[in-house]
Amino acid sequence: MLSLLSPLLVWGTLLGAIPIIIHLLNRRRFRVVEWAPMRHLKLTIRRNRRRIQIEELLLLLLRIALPVLLFLFLARPVLNPTGLETWLIGGGRTSQIVLVDDSLSMGYAGGGPPAFHRAREAAGAVLGAANPQDRCTLVAASAPRTPVFLEVEGTRREELSGDALALPLSDTHAAWPTVLAGVDEVVQSCTYPMRNLTIVTDLRKSGWDASVGEVARRWQEQGVRVRVVDVGGDQADNVALQALIPLDRAILAGAETHWEATVRNDSPRVLSRAKAILRIDDRPTEVPLPEIPPHHVMRVPITARFPSQGMHDISLQLPEDELAGDNQIWAAVPVKDSLLIRLVDGEPSSEPFGSEVDYLAAPLSIGVGDAEAWRIETVQEENFLNPRLEPADVLVLANVSSPTEEQARKLAQLVRGGMGLMVFTGGRLDTALYNQRLYRSGEPLLPVCLKAQADEAIRGLTVEDVRPSPIERLLELRPSALERVSVRRIMGVEEPSGEPGAVRVLARWNDPARSPAVVERVVGEGRVLLWTTTADRADTDWPIEPSFVLAIREAVRGTARPTSFAHTVTAGERPTRIVHSSHQLTSVRLTPPGGGEPRSLTSGSAEDRASGDATPAWEITVPDTRRAGLYRVSWDEGPLGTQQDVFASNPDARESELDRIAAADLKGLLAPLKVEVAAARGDGRDAFSATGREVWHEMAWVLLALLIFEPILAAWVGRSR
């Protein structure tokens, strides 16, 4: 079977009649004249006439073939085509399922309309050409288990085509194993046993992997016919904002916070003199971007300041390019007014700076502007985990003899939840019980196993160059500042091993053995810092050095309970807000990104075991965050009045990877399912090209051979006459 990609050019083959017309006109120009020598030549002509006629006929056919082959060559013939018509024509009633890729990458507009525009046109063409007896289903890749419409009769194809053209673009990622698994549920629910699935996508490699084979094998066994319609282009030039993350663990009101933006330049041009827009609570500020070379990733430092405590939003936006969907990122930030640092005094004293924690409280009480709102609370070791106490952001055990079994269990729970824990050793500390309850337990808190205290005069401290680190700012000090640090007794510990990343030595003493001075362990969301000396001057003179002030303050910053970003999600996720209130929540409303019309939500009772709060809990879920931006929720809470909250939905960074997957690789992933791949090159029913083998390469060689042979044959025929 033969088809043409440019059928209008076939009309040019009519030019093949020109040699025939010229031949006929030339015959009319000759007049027969009898003269004597002709009588002697007639006998010779009769002998050669048949050969001459054959040669002239061959030359005529050759000249006819030249324009015919030329225009067939330009029309691009295809063998064994599989066009749209052959796909839609079936032997009986068919379930037509159309799956449209509405992921973020479909918004790419390189040199033309976005791929999603072509996808909607192609989906509309399939549905608009369905047979009246067919049942039609439209599914978006962002919600494969929730069809736009399901099993609608083909007699309403104009309406169905309009629904396809109205399909909105999302900012989600198309993870094809998950998408096809969801679509499989729709396929299995179809009425007719003959099922055609049309997947309209831009064939970006991101999201495809070998795990799609499981669904493909099931479809092969069930006889499901699958076609993939490629609406993408080969261009991949793009500048994307991949991440916006805070560098500070805790974000306080009025404090300057440090963020880091990751910008990826996948274009062939240098990104220079560009400016991003930073918005805090919708107040814009220009941020100059550094020069970013082609195909390079740059981390850009950003500083921000939030004016008050409570929920705030921050966003960063790059200049618009071919893929606008990945140029902006949002974050919903719960800002605290202060940090609570609870100091557990293992050796209290009424003398000035005689207590174990006095040298800790002094540097932590120094304020730097309004932002340094640190609340210091000193308690005795008997009741430092009293449930009536407010949860601490950082808990410091200073020469505490030993926590009980119950205290050790509670400490592990608090640290896993994000609380920072710092442990200073000393003479009162029971190493055996510490090892038993905080190290050899099911989930150890101590970074290393404690040995015994050793009397050894050591002068100098070395900070390890590991980043990020709670005390990495000590690396900025001159070496002489740390060489003045002296200790008389340290706690011996085992060297950490076997846990890369979870346990790190942050600083070492300048003794021959390079004994650990500060060791860190990450436990869940929290961090534990072990200091192998006391917090007072009993065993060291470090507390009177300026470097001690910096070390303690930075350690508190680096271990404090982190700011929660639970309200910042990736597009497509469903965030939930738990409200503890004895009053029923009413008038729950959701305002989508862009300030659209608010819509009503429902709230249901929930059991919040994580907080341990006995107050009744109500759950509010944002059902659809497929569009990136800020989602604002409000509700009425009895006498408390109207309450508000905000959620941020971000585009999936994987959608910025625009490398294409080859049709052969796609067929290999879906094997043994026989998949046809068509290319959408325009709009409507003419959007599909044939997918067979093009033979224009072979025709080009034949045309070249005829062009060379024609003058040779013409010269030969002329001589023979």
Side-chain angles (χ1 to χ4, degrees):
M1 187 177 178
L2 182 71
S3 181
L4 301 171
L5 298 184
S6 302
L8 291 178
L9 293 176
V10 176
W11 291 100
T13 58
L14 296 178
L15 297 179
I18 293 178
I20 300 176
I21 297 173
I22 294 175
H23 176 72
L24 295 176
L25 292 177
N26 284 338
R27 291 188 60 182
R28 294 182 60 189
R29 290 171 55 191
F30 295 106
R31 184 165 54 91
V32 179
V33 179
E34 293 287 343
W35 55 298
M38 286 295 294
R39 297 174 183 176
H40 302 285
L41 294 175
K42 283 183 178 180
L43 182 61
T44 303
I45 292 173
R46 290 192 186 100
R47 295 194 196 102
N48 297 332
R49 177 178 296 169
R50 183 173 298 277
R51 178 177 61 83
I52 293 172
Q53 287 178 343
I54 292 174
E55 291 175 349
E56 288 182 341
L57 180 61
L58 289 175
L59 182 61
L60 178 63
L61 292 176
L62 178 61
R63 288 172 173 170
I64 293 173
L66 284 174
V68 172
L69 285 176
L70 174 62
F71 281 92
L72 283 176
F73 164 77
L74 296 175
R76 296 178 64 188
V78 175
L79 292 177
N80 302 319
T82 53
L84 176 61
E85 291 77 12
T86 61
W87 177 252
L88 294 175
I89 297 175
R93 295 183 175 183
T94 305
S95 292
Q96 300 284 354
I97 306 105
V98 180
L99 170 60
V100 179
D101 181 1
D102 60 341
S103 62
L104 185 146
S105 66
M106 293 287 287
Y108 186 81
F116 191 62
H117 174 77
R118 295 192 294 272
R120 291 188 297 190
E121 293 285 350
V126 173
L127 296 169
N131 295 319
Q133 69 272 19
D134 291 346
R135 294 288 181 89
C136 300
T137 300
L138 178 63
V139 183
S142 62
R145 290 178 171 82
T146 309
V148 179
F149 53 78
L150 178 65
E151 291 281 275
V152 179
E153 294 181 355
T155 53
R156 300 167 56 187
R157 52 193 176 193
E158 292 185 3
E159 179 184 344
L160 304 183
S161 179
D163 289 343
L165 294 175
L167 198 66
L169 181 66
S170 76
D171 294 301
T172 60
H173 171 61
W176 288 103
T178 303
V179 172
L180 296 187
V183 173
D184 182 51
E185 297 180 7
V186 177
V187 171
Q188 303 306 323
S189 68
C190 289
T191 304
Y192 300 138
M194 185 177 295
R195 291 159 290 181
N196 291 346
L197 172 61
T198 304
I199 303 174
V200 189
T201 178
D202 55 359
L203 282 187
R204 303 296 178 183
K205 185 183 297 184
S206 176
W208 290 100
D209 60 53
S211 56
V212 298
E214 180 180 352
V215 175
R217 284 188 291 271
R218 183 159 55 250
W219 288 346
Q220 173 67 17
E221 296 170 357
Q222 297 173 355
V224 179
R225 298 176 62 200
V226 178
R227 153 165 294 185
V228 177
V229 180
D230 177 15
V231 295
D234 294 329
Q235 288 182 293
D237 302 347
N238 185 37
V239 178
L241 179 59
Q242 292 191 304
L244 179 64
I245 58 174
L247 300 181
D248 301 322
R249 280 178 67 84
I251 298 177
L252 301 179
E256 185 179 80
T257 60
H258 302 86
W259 298 67
E260 185 178 78
T262 303
V263 182
R264 178 175 174 176
N265 182 13
D266 280 336
S267 70
R269 61 188 182 275
V270 177
L271 184 65
S272 61
R273 288 185 280 185
K275 293 183 178 180
I277 303 298
L278 176 69
R279 289 183 174 88
I280 298 177
D281 298 334
D282 208 26
R283 292 190 297 272
T285 305
E286 283 192 349
V287 177
L289 297 178
E291 185 175 280
I292 305 178
H295 307 290
H296 191 79
V297 177
M298 182 74 71
R299 288 177 171 81
V300 182
I302 304 290
T303 58
R305 191 184 300 271
F306 297 93
S308 60
Q309 66 170 330
M311 186 64 73
H312 296 265
D313 60 85
I314 181 174
S315 72
L316 187 67
Q317 183 177 11
L318 299 181
E320 190 168 321
D321 63 352
E322 291 85 355
L323 183 58
D326 62 2
N327 291 340
Q328 189 169 5
I329 285 183
W330 295 260
V333 187
V335 178
K336 298 180 180 180
D337 62 340
S338 61
L339 292 179
L340 175 58
I341 304 153
R342 182 167 294 129
L343 307 178
V344 184
D345 194 348
E347 195 173 4
S349 173
S350 58
E351 297 292 329
F353 288 96
S355 175
E356 191 73 29
V357 298
D358 287 345
Y359 285 96
L360 295 175
L364 295 176
S365 301
I366 302 174
V368 182
D370 296 334
E372 303 299 333
W374 291 359
R375 291 181 291 148
I376 312 301
E377 182 179 282
T378 302
V379 298
Q380 307 304 314
E381 59 181 293
E382 292 80 12
N383 62 347
F384 69 92
L385 289 180
N386 191 314
R388 292 194 297 269
L389 296 175
E390 179 183 350
D393 295 297
V394 180
L395 182 68
V396 182
L397 302 181
N399 201 9
V400 174
S401 59
S402 172
T404 64
E405 292 280 1
E406 178 62 23
Q407 288 174 335
R409 185 193 62 78
K410 185 65 175 177
L411 276 176
Q413 179 183 351
L414 292 172
V415 173
R416 282 196 301 269
M419 185 189 74
L421 175 63
M422 294 201 299
V423 179
F424 286 85
T425 59
R428 298 187 68 251
L429 188 141
D430 190 327
T431 57
L433 289 179
Y434 263 81
N435 289 333
Q436 176 185 344
R437 296 169 181 173
L438 298 183
Y439 183 72
R440 295 193 177 94
S441 57
E443 184 176 7
L445 284 182
L446 285 180
V448 289
C449 182
L450 305 181
K451 292 182 178 178
Q453 285 196 314
D455 293 330
E456 184 178 2
I458 302 173
R459 190 170 185 84
L461 180 74
T462 301
V463 179
E464 297 289 294
D465 191 7
V466 292
R467 301 171 190 268
S469 163
I471 60 172
E472 66 181 54
R473 284 197 61 189
L474 294 180
L475 293 169
E476 302 174 7
L477 300 178
R478 293 182 179 181
S480 58
L482 298 177
E483 289 173 358
R484 294 196 298 265
V485 176
S486 64
V487 293
R488 295 173 291 278
R489 178 185 296 178
I490 63 172
M491 174 65 72
V493 298
E494 293 181 357
E495 283 287 337
S497 61
E499 297 179 87
V503 177
R504 302 183 302 169
V505 177
L506 305 183
R508 293 181 181 272
W509 302 113
N510 287 344
D511 61 331
R514 300 193 72 247
S515 303
V518 184
V519 193
E520 177 197 51
R521 176 187 287 274
V522 177
V523 180
E525 295 294 323
R527 290 179 176 177
V528 180
L529 288 188
L530 173 66
W531 305 71
T532 60
T533 186
T534 58
D536 62 0
R537 296 189 61 190
D539 298 332
T540 176
D541 291 331
W542 193 13
I544 62 174
E545 293 290 334
S547 59
F548 183 77
V549 176
L550 179 62
I552 295 301
R553 290 175 65 84
E554 290 302 310
V556 167
R557 288 176 184 269
T559 59
R561 187 185 304 275
T563 296
S564 173
F565 284 87
H567 284 209
T568 301
V569 300
T570 302
E573 297 178 356
R574 300 177 62 184
T576 299
R577 171 71 153 89
I578 301 296
V579 181
H580 293 273
S581 176
S582 56
H583 302 282
Q584 174 75 45
L585 306 187
T586 59
S587 301
V588 183
R589 295 172 297 275
L590 172 68
T591 302
E597 187 68 24
R599 66 174 192 169
S600 298
L601 295 181
T602 59
S603 63
S605 60
E607 184 179 358
D608 187 11
R609 297 178 180 176
S611 67
D613 194 337
T615 306
W618 308 93
E619 182 179 84
I620 302 174
T621 300
V622 181
D624 186 0
T625 62
R626 290 179 290 174
R627 181 182 171 191
L630 297 175
Y631 291 79
R632 302 186 184 276
V633 179
S634 64
W635 65 90
D636 292 338
E637 192 175 336
L640 297 179
T642 301
Q643 306 296 314
Q644 295 183 351
D645 208 344
V646 63
F647 297 88
S649 172
N650 283 320
D652 198 305
R654 292 172 291 182
E655 286 294 306
S656 299
E657 301 172 7
L658 299 179
D659 294 337
R660 301 251 294 164
I661 184 172
D665 295 337
L666 178 63
K667 292 179 179 179
L669 292 176
L670 294 172
L673 183 66
K674 303 299 181 183
V675 179
E676 301 177 27
V677 179
R681 304 178 185 276
D683 296 333
R685 285 184 62 93
D686 297 331
F688 297 89
S689 68
T691 59
R693 185 174 67 88
E694 294 192 37
V695 294
W696 65 271
H697 300 87
E698 293 84 351
M699 295 188 65
W701 286 107
V702 173
L703 185 61
L704 179 62
L706 293 181
L707 288 173
I708 296 174
F709 185 64
E710 191 275 339
I712 297 174
L713 182 60
W716 173 262
V717 172
R719 282 199 303 271
S720 66
R721 286 185 172 181

